[in-house]
């Protein structure tokens, strides 16, 4: 006897379709649409609402933005025009879906934060969002002297008032420039991207006192002796050299300024709170979020020295494809001291995380730190306000860089300079909805938000880093200001990424097993290399995909050229001819998508390019 | 047989279609000139679907003698060519429109553009199974630069022709022919609008062939003429400096371009390394007498010092 599984009735599906469509039609025909002008809708033209949608739910951001909105409302000409600005804070998890639906239906907010949605990238940007090239080439009206505080350096006043809007940004608004579309499409409101270590000063001092005590014993306790650098024919052990510099550091209350000392502090915390005390404290509030921060930040110092050998397309930037092409061609190996050291370093740091850290999320890690149950946590400036507020009255928090090996310390010979943070990435970048009936006011508010006075005030509220010339950060986030010292992160290898498909999946999984201590290094390497060498889904497949991708890029470049030709011949825009030239550059220097074949030919002149059906 | 599911689904679909009717139409009652303008704006905004709809309406109502016809035809052809996904039908329709425009010879700029596009359609595989025809492409490109050498399109045509030859990267003779073609053009028009890009083109080929000396020389020439993509200047400077240094035969050039990175491209991410390189080179070549520039510190003083 066969049992029948109940299936949804087609009647019901049809009826639901009718209902949904009818409801949508009624709403679409009866409510004011964003694609229609106020005049056409017969509503009060003075009652304009400019909506700003973002996903920054961190404490401080909404309050900071609201403070600027209220200041904007107080401006006489804004009041006279009856303009109101409203913010829509949407959780990150659903931001892309909400934005996509509303952008396509023409009901998107006037200002939308860029990111997460595919419609805020690629050519779609130009379809749905306003090109800002002309606007950012003009001075920002809200940087005129009457809007600036008294006592500013006259040179600063002159620069703010007279430079084009884009040049009043510390990064030249580079993060808003879209090289493919040849225009500015978004305006950053902060600097972003820098990650640091937050340190619980109370626990740090406890750990240092404990280390001082251990160092003063003769002979020192075994756990401490094992952390001291010892080299022998059997191999390296320990992390720090017990030299004068170490002694000087130990004598002070200063934070860990080298990687060895950082690991030493971690072990001291572990010894201090190893179960003999009531409180559970770990050295680092690790989680499935933060292990990646360490993995990313240590990539540059350990792997950037390979950049010149890996840069097959000469774009001065290493991606995941080039990383694995280099593995295949022998440009690097998992047995290289620098590569092995990188992974060993990550594993040593992971040992300072709580047990089962891969099952913990970002918020659980943050709570552990602010409740005083972790000595350190890695995060970005976006968590600064919540961490400082939550720790207030309980313990002091300091912010430090990810430390690098000091002279004589373990890995010092395999590690180069750290990563700089001058990348032009901006934070909370906003785009102007093309179909907004309030485009001018949306742009006006954006000018206000990124004027000297408002941008400083906004970022002081949010405890983020302001991005406008001459602005000053809150003291506690000063450490997050861009630091030019260090190597470009574009020089670092990338073991993972969507471009390397199955290799990335396997790498990510096995890396977690290795960091959790479930695999030895050799086992980890064996598994990852097996994935990379796989004849069907390994590096050969990546080459094939790379060539397909290049053909897509050529078509996209040609489409951009067609657009610039239209701007030149059909719309007769003044800047079109120079943009035609730039678009042609993108197209012609790709050699019709042959760069991968060319690169392969240079590496393996006698072997056919890998082809897959 | 129960017909209700089919019926209700059909009604649902009809209702869904009616949603389209609820969306306001903005172009009703407008002139053809307005339609062409709106269509051009849609194309300029990468909205190829809308551009095709609007251009089609305009194009169908225009006689060839109408001054708007060449605009509508070019716009419709360009929009059709880049509709996604690319299909044989779309490529053929675009080709027919470009050919129509090229044959009509309404004005040199539009005719040249149509021929360039015909060349591109012949050169690339636009859809699955589309066989490139490089000889036909070269014919179109040659017709542009031979007939209208004074137009910017002629320089583009030279680069496209050379690109067809350079695609055969494993054939040194073909690569040489590509370079020779561009060189010949530069010999007669050394300062043309596209001259800088032409030097970059030759320099990039040299890089892929492993001729770093030639690459450096070409990139330097492009730099002197003004790089075609100023936003990527630091990348070119870095390549010039790095190869000048690694070849160990031109430390002065290396220092000069590392210095430009530190001073003029502080946000490129390479300023710190460039500064280290300057120090390294000055140490290795004491005869180099050049100051080591300070790193940009994102402070107001440094920013404003540049204005003084």
């Amino acid at each position: 006897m066969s049992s029948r599984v109940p299936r949804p009735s087609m009647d019901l599906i049809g009826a639901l379709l009718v209902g949904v469509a009818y409801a949508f039609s009624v709403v679409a025909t009866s409510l004011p649409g964003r694609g229609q002008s106020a005049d056409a809708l017969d509503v009060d033209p003075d009652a304009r609402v400019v909506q700003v949608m973002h996903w920054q739910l961190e404490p401080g951001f909404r309050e900071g933005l609201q403070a600027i909105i209220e200041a904007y409302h107080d401006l006489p000409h804004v009041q006279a025009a009856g303009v109101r600005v409203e913010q829509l804070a949407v959780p990150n998890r659903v931001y892309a879906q909400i934005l996509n639906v509303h952008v396509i239906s023409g009901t998107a907010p006037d200002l939308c934060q860029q990111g997460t949605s595919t419609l805020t990238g690629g050519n779609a940007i130009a379809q749905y969002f306003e090109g800002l090239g002309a606007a950012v080439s003009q001075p920002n009206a809200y940087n005129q002297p009457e809007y600036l505080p008294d006592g500013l350096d006259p040179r600063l006043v002159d620069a703010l008032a007279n430079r084009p809007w884009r040049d009043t940004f510390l990064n030249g608004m580079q993060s808003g420039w879209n090289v493919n579309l040849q225009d500015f499409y978004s305006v950053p409101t902060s600097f972003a991207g820098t990650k640091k270590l937050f340190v619980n000063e109370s626990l740090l001092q406890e750990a240092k006192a404990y280390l001082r005590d251990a160092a003063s014993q003769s002979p020192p306790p075994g756990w401490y002796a094992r952390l001291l650098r010892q080299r022998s024919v059997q191999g390296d052990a320990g992390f720090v050299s017990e030299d004068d510099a170490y002694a000087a550091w130990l004598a002070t209350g200063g934070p860990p300024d080298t990687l060895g000392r950082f690991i030493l502090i971690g072990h001291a915390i572990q010894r201090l709170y190893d179960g003999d005390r009531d409180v559970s404290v770990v050295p680092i509030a690790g989680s499935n979020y933060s292990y990646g921060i360490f993995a990313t930040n240590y990539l540059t110092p350990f792997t950037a020295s390979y950049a010149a050998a890996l840069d097959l397309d000469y774009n001065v930037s290493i991606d995941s494809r080039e990383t694995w092409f280099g593995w295949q061609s022998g440009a690097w190996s998992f047995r290289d001291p620098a590569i092995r050291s990188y992974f060993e370093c990550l594993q040593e740091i992971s040992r300072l995380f709580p047990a089962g850290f891969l099952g913990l999320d970002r918020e659980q890690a943050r709570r552990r730190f602010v409740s005083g149950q972790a000595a350190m946590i890695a995060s970005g400036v976006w968590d600064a306000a919540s961490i400082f507020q939550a720790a207030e009255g309980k313990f002091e928090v300091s912010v430090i860089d990810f430390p690098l090996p000091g002279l004589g310390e373990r890995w010092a010979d395999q590690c180069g300079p750290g990563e700089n943070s001058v990348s032009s990435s901006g934070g909370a970048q906003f785009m102007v909805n093309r179909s907004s009936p309030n485009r001018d006011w949306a742009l006006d508010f954006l000018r206000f938000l990124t004027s000297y006075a408002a941008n400083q005030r906004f970022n002081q509220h949010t405890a983020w880093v302001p991005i406008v010339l001459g602005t000053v950060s809150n003291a506690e986030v000063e450490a997050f200001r861009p630091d030019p010292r260090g190597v470009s992160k574009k020089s670092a290898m990338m073991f993972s990424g969507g471009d390397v498909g199955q290799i990335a999946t396997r790498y990510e999984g096995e890396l977690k097993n290795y960091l959790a201590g479930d695999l030895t290094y050799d086992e980890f390497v064996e598994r990852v290399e097996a994935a990379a060498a796989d004849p069907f889904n390994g590096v050969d497949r990546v080459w094939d995909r790379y060539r397909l991708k290049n053909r897509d890029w050529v078509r996209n470049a040609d489409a951009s050229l067609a657009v610039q030709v239209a701007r030149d011949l059909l719309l007769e825009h003044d800047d079109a001819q120079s943009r035609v030239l730039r678009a042609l550059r993108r197209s012609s220097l790709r050699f019709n998508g042959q760069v991968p074949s060319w690169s392969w030919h240079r590496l393996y002149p006698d072997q056919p390019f890998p082809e897959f059906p | 047989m129960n017909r209700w599911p089919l019926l209700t689904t059909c009604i649902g679909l009809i209702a869904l279609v009616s949603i389209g009717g609820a969306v306001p139409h903005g172009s009703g009652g407008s002139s053809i000139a307005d339609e062409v303008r709106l269509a051009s704006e849609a194309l300029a905004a990468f909205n190829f679907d809308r551009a095709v709809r609007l251009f089609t309406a305009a194009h169908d109502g225009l006689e060839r003698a109408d001054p708007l016809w060449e605009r509508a035809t070019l716009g419709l052809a360009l929009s059709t060519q880049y509709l996604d996904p690319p299909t044989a039908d779309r490529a053929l329709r675009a080709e027919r429109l470009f050919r129509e425009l090229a044959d009509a010879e309404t004005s040199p700029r539009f005719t040249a553009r149509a021929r360039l596009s015909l060349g591109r359609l012949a050169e690339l595989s636009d859809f699955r199974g589309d066989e490139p025809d490089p000889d036909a492409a070269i014919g179109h490109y040659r017709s542009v630069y031979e007939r209208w050498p004074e137009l910017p399109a002629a320089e583009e045509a030279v680069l496209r022709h050379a690109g067809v030859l350079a695609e055969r990267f494993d054939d040194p003779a073909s690569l040489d022919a590509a370079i020779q073609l561009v060189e010949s053009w530069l010999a007669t028009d050394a300062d043309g609008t596209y001259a800088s890009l032409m030097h970059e083109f030759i320099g990039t080929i040299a890089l892929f062939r492993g001729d770093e000396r030639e690459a450096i020389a070409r990139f330097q020439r492009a730099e002197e003429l003004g790089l075609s993509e100023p936003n990527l200047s630091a990348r070119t400077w870095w390549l010039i400096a790095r190869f000048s240094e690694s070849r160990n035969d031109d430390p002065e050039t290396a220092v000069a371009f590392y210095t430009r990175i530190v001073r003029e491209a502080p946000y490129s991410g390479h300023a710190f390394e460039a500064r280290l390189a300057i120090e390294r080179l000055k140490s290795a070549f004491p005869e180099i007498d050049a100051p080591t520039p300070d790193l940009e510190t994102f402070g107001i003083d440094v920013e404003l010092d540049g204005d003084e």
Side-chain angles (χ1 to χ4, degrees), chain A residues 10-15 17-18 20-22 24-25 28-29 35-36 123-124 126-128 153 155-156 158-159 163 167 169-172 174 177 179-182 185 191 307-309 311-316 417-418 420-424 434 469-470 481-491 554-556 558-573 577-578 580-582 584-589 591-592 594-595 597-599 601-602, chain B residues 2-6 8-9 11-13 15-16 18-19 21-24 36-37 40-49 55 70-72 74-75 78 80-86 109-110 113 120 123-124 126 152 155-156 159-160 163-164 166-167 169-170 175 193-194 197 200-202 204-205 207-210 212 228-232 234-236 238-239 242-243 266-273 276 295-301 303-308:
Chain A
M10 288 299 288
D11 283 2
L12 186 60
I13 293 171
L17 264 176
V18 173
V20 169
Y22 176 73
F24 188 91
S25 299
T29 50
Q36 297 165 277
N123 292 351
Q127 275 191 49
Y128 300 112
D153 184 326
R155 294 176 304 153
L156 176 59
D158 179 59
R163 285 186 184 182
D167 291 339
F169 286 67
L170 282 165
N171 70 349
Q174 278 189 56
W177 172 256
V179 71
N180 296 337
L181 305 179
Q182 293 289 310
Y185 281 94
F191 265 121
D311 188 15
L312 288 180
D313 59 5
Y314 299 105
N315 72 345
V316 196
N420 67 49
S421 55
V422 298
S423 78
S424 52
R434 260 181 94 87
L469 201 61
R481 282 185 83 85
D483 186 345
R485 292 167 300 172
V487 176
S488 168
K489 67 181 176 186
K490 291 176 186 169
S491 299
V554 169
R555 182 173 166 80
N556 287 341
D558 279 9
S560 296
L561 179 59
V563 163
Q564 299 308 334
V565 165
R567 294 179 75 251
D568 180 23
L569 294 179
L570 306 183
L571 294 168
E572 297 173 1
H573 286 183
Q577 285 201 13
S578 65
V580 168
L581 172 61
R582 290 174 180 179
L584 178 65
R585 181 189 184 280
R586 288 182 56 233
S587 175
S588 62
L589 295 187
F591 298 99
N592 289 348
Q594 291 295 330
V595 169
S597 304
W598 208 334
S599 301
H601 182 69
R602 279 189 296 147
Chain B
N2 184 0
R3 292 176 187 277
W4 273 106
L6 183 62
T8 49
T9 303
I11 293 171
L13 289 172
L16 277 173
S18 73
I19 291 170
V23 176
V36 170
R37 184 181 50 75
S40 302
E41 285 170 356
L43 174 53
F46 289 82
N47 195 339
F48 300 119
D49 292 296
F55 275 128
E70 65 174 4
R71 289 169 175 260
L74 179 66
L78 289 170
T80 304
Q81 187 179 1
Y82 294 106
L83 281 173
D84 270 330
R109 290 183 76 200
F110 281 74
R113 177 54 57 188
R120 207 66 183 139
E123 184 182 353
L124 296 175
D126 294 292
E155 295 176 271
E156 185 176 334
L159 273 169
R160 287 303 195 195
V164 176
E167 194 175 331
F169 55 86
D170 50 354
L175 287 177
T193 312
Y194 288 51
L197 177 55
E200 282 187 83
F201 180 86
I202 296 174
T204 305
I205 291 176
L207 265 191
F208 281 113
R209 296 177 98 176
E212 293 165 2
S228 53
E229 177 50 274
N231 290 292
L232 299 177
R235 184 188 291 185
T236 305
W238 181 258
L239 289 175
R242 183 157 69 86
F243 288 126
Y267 314 111
S268 65
H270 291 290
F272 176 81
E273 290 168 271
L276 289 183
L295 277 180
E296 164 70 80
T297 58
F298 299 89
I300 180 62
D301 291 341
E303 274 289 318
L304 291 171
D305 282 344
D307 283 357
E308 290 183 330

Side-chain angles (χ1 to χ4, degrees), chain B:
Chain B
M1 182 182 161
N2 184 0
R3 292 176 187 277
W4 273 106
L6 183 62
L7 186 59
T8 49
T9 303
C10 285
I11 293 171
L13 289 172
I14 291 165
L16 277 173
V17 169
S18 73
I19 291 170
V23 176
H25 294 284
S27 59
S30 57
S31 69
I32 290 182
D34 287 341
E35 281 182 358
V36 170
R37 184 181 50 75
L38 284 172
S40 302
E41 285 170 356
L43 174 53
F46 289 82
N47 195 339
F48 300 119
D49 292 296
R50 178 172 157 80
V52 165
R53 283 200 306 275
L54 293 170
F55 275 128
T56 300
H59 183 260
D60 290 352
L62 286 166
E63 297 296 325
R64 189 172 289 195
D66 192 309
L68 284 173
W69 179 84
E70 65 174 4
R71 289 169 175 260
T73 307
L74 179 66
L76 181 55
L78 289 170
S79 311
T80 304
Q81 187 179 1
Y82 294 106
L83 281 173
D84 270 330
T87 64
D89 282 350
R90 287 168 174 175
L92 286 171
R93 186 168 182 226
E95 184 182 0
R96 184 171 52 74
L97 288 160
F98 283 129
R99 200 171 290 283
E100 201 178 340
L101 181 59
D103 291 346
E105 299 212 346
T106 47
S107 64
R109 290 183 76 200
F110 281 74
T111 309
R113 177 54 57 188
R115 288 190 185 279
L116 281 171
S117 294
L118 284 169
R120 207 66 183 139
L121 279 165
E123 184 182 353
L124 296 175
S125 176
D126 294 292
F127 52 90
R128 187 177 286 273
D130 183 22
E131 283 296 319
D133 185 348
D135 292 335
I138 287 172
H140 288 298
Y141 299 144
R142 183 177 280 131
S143 72
V144 173
Y145 65 74
E146 286 182 349
R147 184 154 175 208
W148 298 286
E150 74 286 359
L151 291 182
E155 295 176 271
E156 185 176 334
V158 168
L159 273 169
R160 287 303 195 195
H161 182 169
V164 176
L165 299 170
E167 194 175 331
R168 292 158 61 184
F169 55 86
D170 50 354
D171 179 355
S174 192
L175 287 177
D176 288 341
I179 293 167
Q180 183 56 43
L181 177 67
V182 179
E183 287 279 32
S184 302
W185 186 270
L186 285 169
T188 59
D189 188 12
D191 302 320
T193 312
Y194 288 51
S196 172
L197 177 55
M198 288 182 176
H199 284 290
E200 282 187 83
F201 180 86
I202 296 174
T204 305
I205 291 176
L207 265 191
F208 281 113
R209 296 177 98 176
D211 187 351
E212 293 165 2
R213 185 191 296 273
E214 173 69 1
I216 292 168
R218 293 297 179 167
F219 291 151
Q220 279 189 266
R221 183 72 188 116
E223 158 65 30
E224 286 162 12
L225 290 165
L227 292 172
S228 53
E229 177 50 274
N231 290 292
L232 299 177
S233 297
R235 184 188 291 185
T236 305
W237 298 342
W238 181 258
L239 289 175
I240 294 172
R242 183 157 69 86
F243 288 126
S244 296
E245 181 186 7
S246 64
R247 290 184 55 81
N248 211 25
D249 60 358
D250 194 356
E252 286 87 359
T253 297
V255 167
F257 280 91
Y258 282 136
T259 300
R260 291 194 70 176
I261 290 170
V262 179
R263 284 193 173 143
E264 299 173 47
Y267 314 111
S268 65
H270 291 290
F272 176 81
E273 290 168 271
R275 197 171 182 281
L276 289 183
I278 294 167
E279 292 289 303
R280 183 170 62 234
L281 284 162
K282 283 168 66 176
S283 174
F285 300 93
E287 67 274 20
I288 295 177
D289 181 24
T292 304
D294 289 331
L295 277 180
E296 164 70 80
T297 58
F298 299 89
I300 180 62
D301 291 341
V302 175
E303 274 289 318
L304 291 171
D305 282 344
D307 283 357
E308 290 183 330

